Amino acid sequence: MRPIKWRIPAVTATALLLFGIANASLGDHLPEFRECVKVCKEANCGSDPTPIPLQRRILLWTCPSECDYTCQHITTHQRLTRDPPYREPILQYHGKWPFHRFLGMQEPFSVLFSLLNFLAHDHGMSRLRDAIPASYPLRRYYILFGYFGLASWTFSMVFHTRDFGVTEKLDYFGAGASVMYGLYYTPIRIFRLDGGERGDRRKSSVLRLWTVLCISLYVAHVAYLTLWSWDYTYNMAANVACGIVQNVLWSGFSIIRYARMKKIWAAWPGLIVTWIILAMSLELFDFPPWKGMLDAHSLWHLGTVGPTIWWYSFLIKDAQDDMQSMRLKV
C-alpha cells in the first residue's frame, strides 16, 4: 500500500477544495483533514481492507493510522500548492509535524540520531572500563551514568519510531531518569561524597541522604505525571531545573579547576555545557521538517552526540589525574 495511492475517491479532493479555506490552529482540527480521514477509512478500512506492507504491520500501523498519515500529507500538499495569496503554512498534526516515514519509522532522523547517542554512550563505557580500574571509587558512578544513557536513548528510538501513549511515557521517564542521575552523580564527583579510597563516614551519611532524596524526587515526579496530570509544561520545567543545577555546578567546577591547574582539559566541562546549551537552543527555533524528515528536534539529538563523546574523555582524564594525585599522596 503506497501512502499517496490509496483508494481515496475523487470525493476526497472535492472535500479538500470545499473546506480548503477553513482556518484552524492545529492540523488535526482542519475540516479538510478530518473529511479526508473519514473518506479514506470508508474506502480502505471496510470488509475488504487495503493491504498494509509487512514492515509497517510489524510497527503496528493499522488501516486508520495509515489513513491519518496519508491525509496529513494530502492536506499539507493542498495547503502548499495553492496559488498566492491562498497558500498556507505547514501545520502540526497531533502535536507533530507531518514527517515522511522511512521503513515505517515516523521520525527517521530522530531515530538515527538517537542511535548515534546510544552508540556514543556504549563506546564511552567501553573506554571507561579499559582506562579506569574497578578499584577507583567513582568508576561505578560513571558506568551507571552510561547505563542511564543507554536506556534513555533506547526509549527515544522506540518513541520516534512509533508514537504511542506507552512509548511516549517510556521516552519521557527515561529522559527524566537520565537527567536526574546526572544531577545525582554531579555533586558526588565535585564534592567527593564517595569519600575517596579511604572513605569518610560523614560524607557517607551525606551520600545516603542524597541518594534517598534523588530517588524520592524521581518517584514523586513519575507519580505526579502518571497518577495526577500528564503535564508537558511541568515535565519540561522539572528537567530544565535539574539541567541548570548540573550546568552551574560543572561550570563552576571547571572554572576553579582550570584556574588552579592551568590545563585545558580541566576547562572541558564548561565548554561541553556551552555546547549542549547551544544545541538545546535549536528547540526554540522549531521549524517544519526539511524534506519532510529533518527538523529542529532531530538536530538537537544530533547536537548531543559530540558532547557525549567528549564527556567520556573528560571523565577518563579526570579519573586518571585523580588516581595520579592519590598515588603521590601515599
Side-chain angles (χ1 to χ4, degrees):
M1 176 185 57
R2 300 179 181 86
I4 305 303
K5 294 186 179 180
W6 266 42
R7 297 176 302 185
I8 303 180
V11 67
T12 303
T14 304
L16 289 171
L17 293 174
L18 288 174
F19 293 102
I21 59 174
N23 292 315
S25 59
L26 295 174
D28 42 304
H29 290 160
L30 289 173
E32 59 264 42
F33 171 71
R34 293 187 172 191
E35 181 66 17
C36 176
V37 173
K38 177 183 176 182
V39 173
C40 176
K41 288 180 180 178
E42 291 174 349
N44 295 279
C45 304
S47 57
D48 181 26
T50 302
I52 301 174
L54 177 61
Q55 72 271 18
R56 295 211 287 270
R57 282 188 279 124
I58 290 174
L59 294 179
L60 305 181
W61 286 93
T62 63
C63 187
S65 61
E66 288 283 345
C67 281
D68 190 285
Y69 170 83
T70 301
C71 288
Q72 286 185 30
H73 289 280
I74 289 177
T75 305
T76 299
H77 179 73
Q78 289 284 330
R79 291 171 62 83
L80 292 176
T81 55
R82 290 172 182 151
D83 294 328
Y86 303 107
R87 187 174 299 153
E88 297 181 276
I90 299 174
L91 295 179
Q92 293 188 346
Y93 298 82
H94 317 300
K96 286 181 175 289
W97 295 112
F99 291 93
H100 289 298
R101 63 191 173 188
F102 176 73
L103 297 178
M105 295 182 290
Q106 285 180 276
E107 300 174 64
F109 275 103
S110 287
V111 174
L112 173 61
F113 298 152
S114 294
L115 174 61
L116 293 182
N117 277 281
F118 177 95
L119 295 176
H121 277 283
D122 184 63
H123 178 62
M125 293 171 69
S126 177
R127 292 173 59 205
L128 275 172
R129 291 189 178 100
D130 291 340
I132 303 176
S135 59
Y136 182 61
L138 289 171
R139 184 180 187 264
R140 63 180 181 273
Y141 295 102
Y142 296 163
I143 294 296
L144 195 54
F145 163 75
Y147 280 121
F148 272 96
L150 294 179
S152 174
W153 289 110
T154 296
F155 293 143
S156 177
M157 285 187 282
V158 172
F159 171 61
H160 290 298
T161 295
R162 286 293 278 126
D163 179 1
F164 296 114
V166 64
T167 59
E168 181 183 45
K169 286 180 171 59
L170 287 173
D171 179 47
Y172 276 51
F173 293 156
S178 182
V179 171
M180 176 55 75
Y181 184 79
L183 177 61
Y184 170 70
Y185 90 94
T186 294
I188 293 176
R189 166 59 191 97
I190 293 176
F191 304 115
R192 290 312 300 260
L193 298 182
D194 63 299
E197 287 189 336
R198 298 179 181 179
D200 185 319
R201 289 185 178 181
R202 185 174 56 183
K203 286 188 175 181
S204 295
S205 297
V206 174
L207 177 57
R208 283 194 292 271
L209 290 173
W210 177 238
T211 302
V212 171
L213 176 61
C214 287
I215 292 174
S216 299
L217 287 173
Y218 180 71
V219 170
H221 173 73
V222 172
Y224 174 79
L225 290 173
T226 304
L227 304 176
W228 187 259
S229 173
W230 186 251
D231 189 332
Y232 292 97
T233 302
Y234 157 74
N235 181 73
M236 177 63 72
N239 282 281
V240 169
C242 289
I244 289 175
V245 173
Q246 295 175 58
N247 291 345
V248 170
L249 287 172
W250 281 116
S251 296
F253 177 74
S254 178
I255 292 170
I256 294 171
R257 286 286 297 278
Y258 178 74
R260 188 176 76 246
M261 301 175 65
K262 302 300 183 183
K263 294 181 179 179
I264 190 62
W265 68 264
W268 286 359
L271 299 175
I272 294 170
V273 164
T274 301
W275 183 340
I276 292 175
I277 291 174
L278 291 174
M280 285 184 66
S281 67
L282 288 168
E283 293 279 40
L284 301 177
F285 302 99
D286 196 19
F287 55 84
W290 180 70
K291 299 296 184 181
M293 301 183 82
L294 193 66
D295 72 324
H297 185 74
S298 62
L299 290 175
W300 147 237
H301 284 342
L302 177 62
T304 58
V305 176
T308 299
I309 297 171
W310 194 0
W311 187 252
Y312 278 100
S313 296
F314 165 72
L315 293 179
I316 291 171
K317 189 70 175 176
D318 180 62
Q320 291 173 337
D321 179 77
D322 191 32
M323 288 185 291
Q324 179 65 27
S325 299
M326 289 177 179
R327 283 193 288 269
L328 291 175
K329 292 178 181 177
V330 174

